[in-house]
Amino acid sequence: MSPEILDIVIAAALVIGGLFTLVGSIGLLKLKAPMARLHAPTKASTLGVGSILLASVLFAYASGAPSYHELLIIAFLFMTAPVSAYFIGKVHIHLGQNRKPLPKPARDRIWATQAKHEEDTPSVPEMKADA
Amino acid sequence: MIVTYALIFAFAAVSLSLLLTMVRLVKGPNTGDRILALDTLSINAVALIILVGIAGATQIYFEAAMIIAMLGFVSTVAVARFVLRGDIIE
């Protein structure tokens, strides 16, 4: 690949990365509901950081000292983003921030994340059967 | 040359997104939003460190970015578990 094309690819990756990171943070600030706010940074920001890391790999290749260990951070971030999103979503459910009440669990009386202590008193007063 | 301009743009975008995330961290109406803002803050810090590494044409900052990425994930899970269970390691 000629150096000019490589430069253009690096610049495009940097610009895309910056834009996606910015979109993720704007979404984090502007969206209304907590569960909707969860979407923006976990997807857009992760993609943006991945693009910037890719630009770093290409830049190292272009400047004559190739190194691919930024791919390690990309893999790590892409693996951990869904896990942390899942945990934060569970925190939202635990604190009662979901928009609609949860459906009734199949076998148990209440969901485990809403149980208070040993005696399973429902933390939400009346759960509708299917809302 | 074009990389320099793109680098300046990426610096500005990532810095602005760090600032916006900070607003959500201070404002955030409840704990879940604050945990999410902290997670986003660490991810954006990784991006900023990598950009500094590109600007200086050096590989020195790679380990710092890696460690911040790992600690960001671990601390997110730790705080979320603390809110969920009242304990981190049961």
Side-chain angles (χ1 to χ4, degrees):
Chain A
M1 213 189 305
S2 72
E4 291 83 16
I5 297 175
L6 200 54
D7 271 4
I8 290 171
V9 172
I10 293 168
L14 282 174
V15 169
I16 289 170
L19 277 179
F20 266 96
T21 316
L22 193 56
V23 164
S25 289
I26 290 173
L28 178 65
L29 196 59
K30 290 292 283 184
L31 289 175
K32 294 277 185 280
M35 280 296 195
R37 253 176 254 143
L38 191 53
H39 286 292
T42 52
K43 295 173 188 71
S45 287
T46 308
L47 213 58
V49 173
S51 182
I52 286 176
L53 288 160
L54 209 62
S56 175
V57 171
L58 291 174
F59 184 81
Y61 176 74
S63 57
S67 73
Y68 303 103
H69 47 216
E70 277 88 353
L71 295 177
L72 208 62
I73 305 184
I74 297 181
F76 185 78
L77 280 180
F78 277 42
M79 275 192 302
T80 57
V83 180
S84 49
Y86 166 76
F87 266 103
I88 296 168
K90 236 187 143 185
V91 166
H92 281 151
I93 290 176
H94 184 71
L95 299 177
Q97 293 292 317
N98 41 340
R99 199 156 44 103
K100 283 193 267 183
L102 295 177
K104 244 184 149 45
R107 226 162 284 138
D108 300 328
R109 230 160 27 80
I110 57 165
W111 292 100
T113 188
Q114 290 173 338
K116 280 290 180 209
H117 244 306
E118 289 97 50
E119 82 272 2
D120 273 342
T121 49
S123 59
V124 282
E126 245 350 283
M127 268 194 293
K128 295 179 190 79
D130 29 34
Chain B
M1 201 60 209
I2 187 172
V3 176
T4 313
Y5 288 125
L7 205 55
I8 291 170
F9 173 79
F11 264 119
V14 173
S15 308
L16 190 60
S17 60
L18 275 167
L19 220 64
L20 295 178
T21 311
M22 204 67 203
V23 173
R24 176 50 76 193
L25 180 62
V26 173
K27 216 172 84 173
N30 72 71
T31 317
D33 289 313
R34 293 212 165 88
I35 301 172
L36 182 59
L38 273 176
D39 190 47
T40 313
L41 215 57
S42 71
I43 289 178
N44 287 351
V46 169
L48 199 63
I49 288 173
I50 290 296
L51 284 177
V52 171
I54 296 177
T58 170
Q59 291 290 326
I60 281 179
Y61 298 108
F62 162 73
E63 280 87 4
M66 186 87 206
I67 285 172
I68 287 186
M70 286 180 155
L71 285 185
F73 169 68
V74 171
S75 57
T76 304
V77 172
V79 180
R81 264 196 86 73
F82 183 73
V83 174
L84 282 172
R85 306 287 299 168
D87 207 346
I88 296 170
I89 301 171
E90 293 172 67

